[in-house]
Amino acid sequence: MPRTAILLIHCPDQPGLVAAISNFIANNGGNIVDLDQHVDNEGGVFFMRVEWSLEQFRIPSDAIERHFSEAIAERYAMRWQLHFSDERPRMAIFVSQLPHCLTDLLARWQSGEWHVDIPLILSNHESLRPVAEQFGIEFRVFEITPENKRAQEQRELELLQSHRIDFVVLARYMQVLSPVLIDAMPGRIINIHHSFLPAFPGARPYHSAHARGVKIIGATSHYVTEELDAGPIIAQDVTPITHRDPVEALIRKGRDLERVVLARAVWYHLQRKVLSYGNRTVVFD
Amino acid sequence: MPRTAILLIHCPDQPGLVAAISNFIANNGGNIVDLDQHVDNEGGVFFMRVEWSLEQFRIPSDAIERHFSEAIAERYAMRWQLHFSDERPRMAIFVSQLPHCLTDLLARWQSGEWHVDIPLILSNHESLRPVAEQFGIEFRVFEITPENKRAQEQRELELLQSHRIDFVVLARYMQVLSPVLIDAMPGRIINIHHSFLPAFPGARPYHSAHARGVKIIGATSHYVTEELDAGPIIAQDVTPITHRDPVEALIRKGRDLERVVLARAVWYHLQRKVLSYGNRTVVFD
Amino acid sequence: MPRTAILLIHCPDQPGLVAAISNFIANNGGNIVDLDQHVDNEGGVFFMRVEWSLEQFRIPSDAIERHFSEAIAERYAMRWQLHFSDERPRMAIFVSQLPHCLTDLLARWQSGEWHVDIPLILSNHESLRPVAEQFGIEFRVFEITPENKRAQEQRELELLQSHRIDFVVLARYMQVLSPVLIDAMPGRIINIHHSFLPAFPGARPYHSAHARGVKIIGATSHYVTEELDAGPIIAQDVTPITHRDPVEALIRKGRDLERVVLARAVWYHLQRKVLSYGNRTVVFD
Amino acid sequence: MPRTAILLIHCPDQPGLVAAISNFIANNGGNIVDLDQHVDNEGGVFFMRVEWSLEQFRIPSDAIERHFSEAIAERYAMRWQLHFSDERPRMAIFVSQLPHCLTDLLARWQSGEWHVDIPLILSNHESLRPVAEQFGIEFRVFEITPENKRAQEQRELELLQSHRIDFVVLARYMQVLSPVLIDAMPGRIINIHHSFLPAFPGARPYHSAHARGVKIIGATSHYVTEELDAGPIIAQDVTPITHRDPVEALIRKGRDLERVVLARAVWYHLQRKVLSYGNRTVVFD
């Protein structure tokens, strides 16, 4: 695979945006390998993800930002990110005591399924240290109480920074984050919630689903914002249940949903396929 | 198909229930063609649906109730219903102005897909009268205002009774029923709600789903109870959506869900496969 | 909704295609409301669907074809179609004796769900004439035998032509078409097959599915080509089954799949969202 | 959870079977906690899975087989198995070079999600030895050539026997088994095939699915029989794809299907919920 550049853009919609961006790429010798755009007609917002081969591209990689900014982005008031296909993002995982999402993420990393580094696992409990050791990853415990939460999260944040972490995955981390972490990493903390949001936010959603008598359960992966379980949704999936399923069966079936939905969201994030705006996402799949 | 009898039973769980019921059938010459049972271990409740051939059954059909009651039901404090496969229930449909669920139900009836009679359609608007006429079914309009709702529903109830209606289907009927109808027909009014309940109850769920940015939409069919959109759920289904779908696309995709989920719930009800208890259902599929 | 133009394009991939097309639109005052492109890297083929508002577009509608051809299409060896949002295609339906897909299509047409005219229904049996009459549509019967098939299809083709039919939907039409019709309407005959193709092509797929013991059944809508059930697939969907489902239950559950999958394929076709190439489709949804 | 016994039964259907079995349990002091039965009306075969609490059961566990055989099974020509909830089956895994199913199975075992022992992993390659070591499980390599296959499988069989293996899971084992293993373990070898069988049996199903242009891919878990990919199906699942998905994306999405479908099949097998007959299964879920 030749090296590619990826632009993620959103800006007020107006005529000529696609032409301007595609001219910038074509006129400098780039060949578009993937382009997806979306116009939110209600809000009048234009979104684009475009990926082009750098093989014949005449602007050096470290100058693309400046050229694109001057030639295009400023004129159209764009908010944008530039990525390269050979970047290898650094991801930290937060866990509590349930191993299934953690092990699933680590297995995908270990098998080379994902282009990512995982230098760090943080937890509020000791219990999953053996899993981290099994995969050879540093494991750090920060016990959390209502009193020490902000101080502990400040220490966690410093650890994330010293490890140059790009984004965080909460793999069934049973703590509500405080603004210390959320504000420091906007759009860079991914959570898995074990319900079909907005149904059953908060604690014990499988118990609530059972009590309500629903016939389908779900899982939702979203970016974390200050309002609990209310951030922009990246991926959701569901599975049917019946009256024969006690709460334990919901938990068992839900584990498979959680694993798959969280992995899907992380994959979209790694592929630079997600743009969030307001409380929603554009996922260019 | 030989004629069959169907018993729907629930009672406090205790040892020997399956043996008692299956002995009653076997000892009187019946051959079980379908048996499904469920024990809710939390509540200690036993549920059963059993269907047996009447070909060699020695108790006459009109005496089965009495025999079963004396031999079994009283001893175990059972709540139960007895049905026969050649019954043809009488169903009324309530509609407002959206035709898709109505036409779908009528097409299934007309093609013989269901063993049901539909002698009556009620509406709070004139607009779907042509559809009723197209299928040759009586169409009656009762305009509803906050002031006249109870009085009008009282008249509707009398009409249902005079037509010997067994159960009612709300096929996108855009009115909240008052207790006049709900209390008169407990467990016999089926609604379709255009969301994945308990997410987005009440009005305009597709708009709410779009605003929340969910990646999946749903539809829910349930028995109507006094609390809005909170009755026992019979069937649910979902379909994926993306950021490319404006509200109009959710409405379009949702119509297919509504049609199919409502039809599935009505079919279960017609087949005597639903037992509701508390706010949940057992659906013996 | 302002009037729009839609271009469906495919051609050998090369740098600058997106820029050329978007410049053609932008430079003539058009505003792109939807653009989707795809590059098949194996085959080196570029596909695009682009829709733009004609409100400020300076080329008159009846001259767009000529201008686009001269300015762009010839240079890049494009194969392309131009459509306008206010076209109302004319669709004919072929049926045999099963009403469920037919009634579903007619209900969508009648309710205004689709922007289409249905001037004609053809059948090899009399049995569905009452449904056609119920919806006020001309119904013509052509009995088919192995001996007369080509001659009858020739007469059918003339009838389609005299009614200016744009495309045909086979709504469970239980006859294999001969080349007479297939060759005359390439990419314009849509079939629904009641299995998850390529599993169970040909006759009685529900019986085969039951015999094989699959746990999921499906339906497939595809363009008809000379090889039976092997044309480009437009839409597929599936539903779970269990050992409790006899063949009759597969047929019943399958009917809902067939209705929904066929309607989805027709909708994509009507929206000019399908491009077929070789034996596959690009569906810009 | 109190200890339970599980009976899996099939026999020619006849009146009184449910009564006979439930009387046997009730009369000896057992309380049924789960009962599911099914009658295949075409074949006239009766199937039952019944689980009852042993707390008050008056027949000692090691005498149940004899009592049930004499009292019931012989009279009705039953084929049956008796299991106890505290059994811990011994499972061996066969792999080649793809780690995703293997790691998924091991993670479920390690976390206690399943009541199983995994004493042995066999492979025709060295490459997954590190995964086995990571989880502390014996890993044995048997290189397979067309010439040595039967001899090697004979050695593998002896190893399975010396490890007292109850059943085998082929976790993307890229070898067709010979009758040496298949005949020795009928109904006790579970495979995962990476297509929606019977579509795309044999090698490279994702490539075939891509070439055919299907809109949905699937995975199938089945018991291995002598005919390739044709054994009784235990579980299937599917996921949608689009024209945007190259073969690599099918492989990536398919991995998640394979993991989940294989795990579901193993779980049903462990729960003694599967009865196979002819080429189909009854799965009492």
Side-chain angles (χ1 to χ4, degrees):
Chain A
M1 286 281 293
R3 193 165 167 261
T4 59
I6 298 159
L7 266 173
L8 279 171
I9 299 166
H10 63 124
C11 64
D13 189 29
Q14 58 181 285
L17 283 166
V18 176
I21 298 162
S22 52
N23 283 335
F24 171 80
I25 295 168
N27 293 343
N28 289 297
N31 189 21
I32 293 173
V33 294
D34 197 54
L35 178 149
D36 206 346
Q37 63 103 49
H38 170 65
V39 175
D40 180 39
N41 288 313
E42 286 164 81
V45 188
F46 172 88
F47 303 87
M48 183 181 267
R49 182 189 188 277
V50 59
E51 182 169 0
W52 70 95
S53 169
L54 294 171
E55 265 185 319
Q56 317 272 329
F57 202 58
R58 286 183 293 268
I59 307 176
S61 292
D62 59 3
I64 296 176
E65 279 207 3
R66 183 170 54 81
H67 276 77
F68 182 72
S69 182
E70 290 170 6
I72 310 284
E74 287 168 17
R75 178 150 51 111
Y76 294 103
M78 289 175 175
R79 302 184 58 177
W80 56 287
Q81 313 164 33
L82 177 68
H83 298 286
F84 296 100
S85 59
D86 56 358
E87 291 169 8
R88 200 168 167 91
R90 292 170 66 81
M91 159 176 145
I93 304 175
F94 280 51
V95 287
S96 291
Q97 303 195 77
L98 295 171
H100 58 285
C101 285
L102 174 64
T103 315
D104 185 77
L105 295 170
L106 296 178
R108 289 169 196 267
W109 161 77
Q110 179 178 268
S111 69
E113 193 173 318
W114 287 344
H115 202 62
V116 72
D117 287 327
I118 306 181
L120 189 60
I121 300 170
L122 288 88
S123 183
N124 56 335
H125 286 279
E126 278 293 336
S127 51
L128 294 177
R129 184 181 295 277
V131 176
E133 288 175 352
Q134 196 179 11
F135 286 85
I137 296 175
E138 184 179 346
F139 186 83
R140 298 285 288 270
V141 174
F142 295 81
E143 282 172 32
I144 306 284
T145 65
E147 293 70 34
N148 75 3
K149 177 178 278 192
R150 286 177 157 265
Q152 289 289 70
E153 288 196 1
Q154 184 58 45
R155 292 177 53 208
E156 291 176 327
L157 180 58
E158 285 156 20
L159 192 65
L160 296 175
Q161 287 164 341
S162 72
H163 280 69
R164 292 170 294 115
I165 295 299
D166 293 303
F167 73 107
V168 165
V169 174
L170 310 184
R172 299 297 312 274
Y173 180 63
M174 309 301 261
Q175 289 286 327
V176 178
L177 295 188
S178 79
V180 172
L181 280 169
I182 296 172
D183 294 351
M185 304 192 77
R188 296 192 289 139
I189 305 176
I190 297 172
N191 185 40
I192 180 72
H193 182 72
H194 41 312
S195 84
F196 183 81
L197 289 175
F200 312 124
R204 293 168 69 86
Y206 293 128
H207 291 78
S208 304
H210 186 257
R212 177 62 188 90
V214 294
K215 299 300 186 188
I216 292 176
I217 56 168
T220 304
S221 191
H222 62 93
Y223 289 117
V224 174
T225 57
E226 293 205 14
E227 190 183 343
L228 182 65
D229 297 330
I233 293 171
I234 308 168
Q236 297 189 291
D237 210 344
V238 297
T239 203
I241 58 167
T242 77
H243 63 270
R244 280 183 289 269
D245 289 309
V247 172
E248 297 69 38
L250 271 55
I251 292 170
R252 175 176 56 79
K253 293 183 174 185
R255 270 195 301 255
D256 280 358
L257 281 175
E258 296 162 31
R259 275 186 265 243
V260 168
V261 170
L262 178 57
R264 208 176 285 163
V266 171
W267 189 84
Y268 285 138
H269 185 88
L270 285 172
Q271 296 295 109
R272 317 298 188 180
K273 287 182 178 276
V274 191
L275 260 171
S276 57
Y277 68 110
N279 206 37
R280 298 154 64 189
T281 60
V282 169
V283 179
F284 290 118
D285 60 344
Chain B
M1 287 281 291
R3 191 162 169 263
T4 59
I6 299 158
L7 265 173
L8 280 171
I9 300 165
H10 63 124
C11 64
D13 190 30
Q14 59 181 284
L17 284 166
V18 176
I21 298 163
S22 52
N23 283 335
F24 171 80
I25 295 168
N27 294 342
N28 289 295
N31 188 22
I32 293 174
V33 294
D34 196 54
L35 177 149
D36 205 346
Q37 63 103 46
H38 170 64
V39 175
D40 179 40
N41 288 313
E42 287 163 82
V45 188
F46 172 88
F47 301 88
M48 183 182 267
R49 181 188 188 278
V50 58
E51 182 169 359
W52 69 96
S53 168
L54 294 171
E55 267 185 318
Q56 318 272 330
F57 201 58
R58 286 183 292 269
I59 307 177
S61 292
D62 58 4
I64 296 176
E65 277 206 7
R66 184 171 51 82
H67 276 77
F68 182 72
S69 180
E70 288 171 7
I72 309 284
E74 286 167 19
R75 177 150 53 110
Y76 293 102
M78 290 177 176
R79 301 184 58 177
W80 57 287
Q81 314 163 33
L82 176 69
H83 298 286
F84 297 99
S85 59
D86 56 355
E87 290 168 9
R88 200 168 168 91
R90 294 170 66 81
M91 159 175 145
I93 304 175
F94 281 51
V95 287
S96 291
Q97 303 195 76
L98 295 171
H100 59 285
C101 284
L102 174 64
T103 316
D104 186 77
L105 295 170
L106 296 179
R108 289 170 197 266
W109 162 76
Q110 180 178 267
S111 69
E113 195 173 317
W114 287 344
H115 202 62
V116 71
D117 287 326
I118 306 181
L120 187 62
I121 299 170
L122 288 88
S123 184
N124 55 336
H125 287 279
E126 277 293 336
S127 52
L128 293 177
R129 184 180 296 276
V131 175
E133 289 175 350
Q134 197 178 10
F135 286 85
I137 296 175
E138 184 179 347
F139 185 82
R140 298 285 288 270
V141 173
F142 294 81
E143 282 172 32
I144 306 285
T145 64
E147 292 72 34
N148 76 2
K149 176 177 278 191
R150 286 178 157 266
Q152 289 290 71
E153 287 195 2
Q154 185 57 46
R155 293 177 52 209
E156 290 175 329
L157 180 58
E158 285 157 18
L159 193 65
L160 296 175
Q161 288 164 341
S162 73
H163 280 68
R164 291 169 295 116
I165 296 299
D166 293 303
F167 72 108
V168 165
V169 174
L170 309 184
R172 298 298 312 275
Y173 180 63
M174 309 301 261
Q175 289 286 328
V176 178
L177 296 187
S178 77
V180 173
L181 280 168
I182 296 172
D183 293 351
M185 305 192 77
R188 295 191 290 139
I189 305 177
I190 297 172
N191 185 40
I192 179 72
H193 181 73
H194 41 312
S195 84
F196 183 80
L197 289 174
F200 312 124
R204 293 167 70 84
Y206 292 129
H207 291 77
S208 304
H210 186 257
R212 178 61 189 90
V214 294
K215 300 300 186 189
I216 293 176
I217 56 169
T220 304
S221 191
H222 62 94
Y223 288 116
V224 173
T225 56
E226 293 207 13
E227 190 182 344
L228 182 65
D229 297 330
I233 293 171
I234 309 168
Q236 299 190 290
D237 209 344
V238 297
T239 202
I241 57 168
T242 77
H243 61 272
R244 281 184 290 270
D245 289 309
V247 172
E248 296 70 38
L250 271 54
I251 292 171
R252 174 176 57 79
K253 293 183 174 184
R255 271 195 300 256
D256 281 358
L257 281 176
E258 296 162 30
R259 275 186 264 244
V260 168
V261 171
L262 179 57
R264 208 175 288 162
V266 171
W267 188 83
Y268 285 137
H269 185 88
L270 285 172
Q271 296 295 111
R272 317 297 188 183
K273 287 182 177 277
V274 192
L275 258 172
S276 56
Y277 69 109
N279 206 37
R280 297 155 64 189
T281 60
V282 169
V283 179
F284 291 117
D285 60 343
Chain C
M1 286 281 291
R3 190 162 170 264
T4 58
I6 298 158
L7 266 172
L8 280 171
I9 298 166
H10 63 125
C11 64
D13 190 29
Q14 59 181 285
L17 284 166
V18 176
I21 298 163
S22 52
N23 283 334
F24 171 80
I25 295 168
N27 293 343
N28 288 297
N31 189 21
I32 293 173
V33 296
D34 196 54
L35 178 149
D36 206 345
Q37 64 102 48
H38 170 64
V39 175
D40 180 40
N41 288 313
E42 286 163 82
V45 188
F46 172 88
F47 301 88
M48 182 181 268
R49 182 189 188 276
V50 58
E51 181 168 1
W52 70 96
S53 168
L54 294 170
E55 264 184 320
Q56 317 272 330
F57 201 59
R58 286 185 293 270
I59 307 176
S61 292
D62 57 5
I64 296 175
E65 279 206 5
R66 183 170 52 82
H67 276 77
F68 182 72
S69 180
E70 290 170 6
I72 309 285
E74 287 167 17
R75 177 150 51 111
Y76 293 102
M78 289 176 176
R79 301 184 59 177
W80 56 287
Q81 314 164 33
L82 176 69
H83 298 286
F84 297 100
S85 60
D86 56 357
E87 291 169 8
R88 201 169 166 90
R90 293 170 67 80
M91 160 176 145
I93 304 175
F94 280 51
V95 287
S96 291
Q97 303 196 78
L98 294 171
H100 59 285
C101 285
L102 173 65
T103 315
D104 186 77
L105 296 169
L106 296 179
R108 289 169 196 267
W109 161 76
Q110 180 177 266
S111 69
E113 194 173 317
W114 287 344
H115 202 63
V116 72
D117 287 326
I118 306 181
L120 188 61
I121 300 170
L122 288 88
S123 183
N124 55 335
H125 287 279
E126 277 294 335
S127 52
L128 293 177
R129 184 180 295 279
V131 176
E133 288 175 351
Q134 198 179 11
F135 285 85
I137 296 176
E138 185 178 346
F139 185 84
R140 298 284 289 270
V141 174
F142 293 81
E143 282 171 32
I144 306 284
T145 64
E147 292 72 33
N148 75 3
K149 176 178 279 195
R150 286 176 157 265
Q152 289 290 69
E153 287 196 3
Q154 185 58 44
R155 291 178 53 209
E156 291 176 327
L157 181 58
E158 285 157 18
L159 192 65
L160 296 175
Q161 287 165 341
S162 72
H163 280 69
R164 292 170 293 116
I165 295 300
D166 293 303
F167 73 107
V168 165
V169 174
L170 310 183
R172 300 296 314 274
Y173 180 63
M174 310 300 262
Q175 288 286 328
V176 178
L177 295 188
S178 78
V180 173
L181 280 169
I182 296 172
D183 293 352
M185 305 193 76
R188 296 192 289 137
I189 306 177
I190 297 171
N191 185 41
I192 179 73
H193 182 73
H194 41 313
S195 84
F196 183 80
L197 290 174
F200 312 123
R204 296 168 68 86
Y206 294 129
H207 291 77
S208 303
H210 186 258
R212 178 61 188 90
V214 294
K215 300 300 187 188
I216 294 177
I217 56 168
T220 303
S221 190
H222 62 93
Y223 289 116
V224 173
T225 57
E226 293 206 13
E227 190 183 343
L228 182 66
D229 297 329
I233 293 171
I234 309 168
Q236 297 189 293
D237 209 345
V238 297
T239 203
I241 58 167
T242 77
H243 62 271
R244 281 184 289 271
D245 290 308
V247 171
E248 296 70 37
L250 271 53
I251 292 170
R252 175 176 58 79
K253 293 183 174 185
R255 272 195 299 255
D256 280 359
L257 281 176
E258 296 163 29
R259 275 186 264 244
V260 168
V261 171
L262 178 58
R264 207 176 287 162
V266 171
W267 188 84
Y268 285 137
H269 185 87
L270 285 172
Q271 296 296 109
R272 318 295 188 182
K273 286 181 178 279
V274 191
L275 259 170
S276 55
Y277 68 110
N279 206 36
R280 297 155 63 189
T281 61
V282 169
V283 179
F284 290 117
D285 58 345
Chain D
M1 287 280 292
R3 189 162 171 266
T4 58
I6 299 159
L7 266 174
L8 280 171
I9 298 166
H10 62 126
C11 64
D13 190 31
Q14 59 181 285
L17 284 166
V18 176
I21 298 162
S22 51
N23 283 334
F24 171 79
I25 296 168
N27 294 343
N28 289 297
N31 188 22
I32 293 174
V33 295
D34 196 55
L35 177 150
D36 205 346
Q37 63 103 46
H38 170 65
V39 175
D40 180 41
N41 288 313
E42 287 164 80
V45 188
F46 172 88
F47 301 88
M48 183 181 268
R49 181 189 188 277
V50 59
E51 182 168 359
W52 70 96
S53 169
L54 294 171
E55 266 184 318
Q56 317 273 329
F57 201 58
R58 284 184 293 268
I59 306 177
S61 292
D62 58 5
I64 296 177
E65 278 207 5
R66 183 171 52 82
H67 276 77
F68 181 73
S69 180
E70 289 170 6
I72 309 285
E74 286 168 17
R75 176 151 51 114
Y76 294 102
M78 289 176 177
R79 300 184 58 176
W80 57 287
Q81 313 163 32
L82 176 70
H83 298 286
F84 297 99
S85 59
D86 56 356
E87 291 169 8
R88 201 169 167 92
R90 293 170 67 82
M91 158 175 146
I93 304 176
F94 280 51
V95 287
S96 291
Q97 303 195 76
L98 295 171
H100 59 284
C101 285
L102 173 65
T103 316
D104 185 77
L105 295 170
L106 296 179
R108 290 170 196 266
W109 161 75
Q110 181 177 266
S111 70
E113 195 174 317
W114 287 343
H115 202 64
V116 71
D117 287 327
I118 307 182
L120 188 60
I121 300 171
L122 288 89
S123 183
N124 54 335
H125 287 278
E126 277 293 336
S127 51
L128 294 177
R129 183 181 296 276
V131 175
E133 287 174 353
Q134 197 178 13
F135 286 85
I137 295 175
E138 184 179 348
F139 185 84
R140 298 285 289 270
V141 174
F142 293 81
E143 281 172 34
I144 305 284
T145 64
E147 292 70 35
N148 75 3
K149 177 177 279 194
R150 286 179 157 263
Q152 290 289 69
E153 288 196 1
Q154 184 58 45
R155 291 178 53 211
E156 291 176 328
L157 180 58
E158 284 157 20
L159 193 65
L160 296 175
Q161 287 165 341
S162 72
H163 280 69
R164 292 170 293 115
I165 295 300
D166 294 303
F167 71 108
V168 165
V169 174
L170 309 184
R172 299 298 311 276
Y173 180 63
M174 310 302 260
Q175 289 286 329
V176 178
L177 295 188
S178 78
V180 172
L181 280 168
I182 296 173
D183 293 352
M185 305 192 77
R188 296 191 288 137
I189 305 177
I190 298 173
N191 185 40
I192 180 72
H193 182 73
H194 40 313
S195 84
F196 182 81
L197 288 174
F200 311 125
R204 293 165 72 83
Y206 293 128
H207 292 77
S208 303
H210 186 258
R212 178 60 189 91
V214 293
K215 300 299 187 188
I216 294 175
I217 55 169
T220 304
S221 191
H222 62 95
Y223 289 116
V224 174
T225 56
E226 292 207 14
E227 190 183 344
L228 183 65
D229 297 330
I233 294 172
I234 309 168
Q236 298 189 292
D237 209 345
V238 297
T239 202
I241 58 166
T242 76
H243 62 270
R244 280 184 290 271
D245 290 308
V247 171
E248 296 70 37
L250 271 54
I251 292 171
R252 175 177 56 79
K253 293 184 174 184
R255 273 194 299 256
D256 281 358
L257 281 176
E258 295 162 30
R259 275 186 264 244
V260 169
V261 171
L262 178 57
R264 206 175 288 162
V266 172
W267 189 84
Y268 285 137
H269 185 88
L270 285 172
Q271 295 297 110
R272 317 296 187 181
K273 288 182 177 278
V274 191
L275 259 171
S276 56
Y277 68 110
N279 206 36
R280 298 155 63 189
T281 61
V282 168
V283 179
F284 290 117
D285 58 345

